[in-house]
Amino acid sequence: MSRVYNFSAGPAVLPESVLKEAAEEMLDYKGTGMSVMEMSHRSKAFEEIIQTAEADLRELMQIPDNYKVLFLQGGASQQFAMIPMNLMKNRVADYIVTGQWAKKAYQEASKYGKANKIASSEDKTFSYIPDCSDLPISEEADYVYICENNTIYGTKFKNLPNTKGKTLVADVSSCFLSEPVDVSKYGIIYGGVQKNIGPAGVVIVIIREDLITEDVLEGTPTMLKYKTHADANSLYNTPPAYGIYICGKVFKWLKSMGGLEVMKARNEEKAKILYDFLDQSKLFQGTVEKKDRSLMNVPFVTGSAELDAKFVKEAKEAGLENLKGHRSVGGMRASIYNAMPKEGVEALVAFMKKFEEENL
């Protein structure tokens, strides 16, 4: 069985070289006589794995020294509660709702204090990013929250919101490491790794040190305090060790590719191939305002549910997997993360052209 082109939104495609390397080390990691899956997280070998992973991530993202890198569990969804528990000192936070996940984060924060929805694109099914240059930021807000790239709807913040001096918190799950970022503009930048970095089960939180305090909401569980994990260098309890190991390999792969500037250029080139076709197609249409299009997630439709279903079925038969859109929006979605080769996007467009000729 040859490998398919996997357009899944997450868990998603990983670099083939990383998978091969992991396969070679599966039974014996560097002469330890055991798999990383089996070794103690307190062992010398694992200590080196997690420390190297952090060092490589810091280098890739040029993370300033006053930020901690935490490898946690519970995915991005657990952060929806952890953020207000740790940051909502005044019990007020502002949320910009540009999709399903930002909406869930907003709803979760409402359990802990006053969450203000200061901008939203729900009026047009989240198909655009609202103008965030002059928002009604609350004076007493503890932070302003965004989901930077919306996996389901295929939109991306090209400019960060003007938070008027308030701490910016961003969920970057689906655009993590796809392009360079200025970490210093964020208080917290975090994401689940299962889209662009590694296997499901790890969430990486990059947090400014002044936000890590004992002063958290009353009743916050020990495991949900950033300080617990920061003080223990992500080893307070058994971490998702194998997942972190794979993430570390992906960081090495990204460095070998030339880093995030190179990835951005590659991702722009791949996305352009698909968007250019969508813009001239007589059958398929993209669903996002052009200025707000994501490089990572590309939703599109034919306008007919029957034809959409036929396309997904025939694409699968052609070795183009996981193109069905999210259940909440239907249609199709191609997730073209870092590890998706350009050939995969070209194969998709060639198939779309053929499908269009046969079905118009």
Side-chain angles (χ1 to χ4, degrees), residues 47-243:
E47 198 177 309
E48 193 206 345
I49 287 169
I50 194 168
Q51 286 174 0
T52 305
E54 179 178 335
D56 286 339
L57 180 62
R58 283 185 175 280
E59 188 184 324
L60 279 165
M61 292 181 75
Q62 298 177 342
I63 298 171
D65 291 343
N66 63 325
Y67 283 74
K68 286 272 194 215
V69 173
L70 308 176
F71 295 97
L72 307 178
Q73 296 170 77
S77 296
Q78 186 158 289
Q79 293 303 309
F80 299 167
M82 206 161 163
I83 287 158
M85 282 176 167
N86 284 266
L87 264 56
M88 245 194 197
K89 320 288 188 201
N90 299 323
R91 302 278 179 135
V92 181
D94 288 350
Y95 279 71
I96 298 168
V97 177
T98 51
Q100 204 89 325
W101 304 113
K103 190 177 179 178
K104 286 188 170 172
Y106 160 74
Q107 288 166 340
E108 194 71 11
S110 301
K111 295 176 179 176
Y112 301 100
K114 188 171 186 287
N116 301 306
K117 195 191 291 186
I118 56 169
S120 170
S121 52
E122 198 162 6
D123 61 329
K124 293 184 183 166
T125 330
F126 299 124
S127 59
Y128 71 102
I129 297 288
D131 176 4
C132 295
S133 57
D134 185 18
L135 293 171
I137 307 282
S138 321
E139 245 171 73
E140 61 278 29
D142 291 300
Y143 59 88
V144 177
Y145 183 101
I146 61 170
C147 179
E148 199 161 317
N149 186 94
N150 296 286
T151 324
I152 295 174
Y153 301 95
T155 57
K156 163 83 165 70
F157 279 83
K158 302 293 166 71
N159 300 301
L160 294 176
N162 173 7
T163 65
K164 300 179 182 175
K166 298 292 183 187
T167 297
L168 177 65
V169 175
D171 174 355
V172 296
S173 295
S174 52
C175 58
F176 225 154
L177 300 178
S178 62
E179 58 184 22
V181 294
D182 180 353
V183 174
S184 69
K185 289 184 173 170
Y186 305 81
I188 296 181
I189 182 167
Y190 81 91
V193 304
Q194 71 278 8
K195 299 170 184 298
N196 220 14
I197 304 176
V202 186
V203 59
I204 297 172
V205 176
I206 301 161
I207 176 170
R208 211 173 58 224
E209 284 176 349
D210 62 288
L211 299 173
I212 304 170
T213 66
E214 276 294 2
D215 176 24
V216 296
L217 296 193
E218 201 181 327
T220 298
T222 305
M223 278 294 289
L224 297 186
K225 293 176 183 173
Y226 290 123
K227 193 164 179 8
T228 301
H229 301 285
D231 288 352
N233 297 316
S234 304
L235 295 170
Y236 175 75
N237 69 327
T238 310
Y242 197 79

Side-chain angles (χ1 to χ4, degrees), residues 14-25:
L14 285 165
E16 207 164 312
S17 60
V18 165
L19 296 174
K20 283 178 174 160
E21 217 177 277
E24 281 162 21
E25 293 174 348

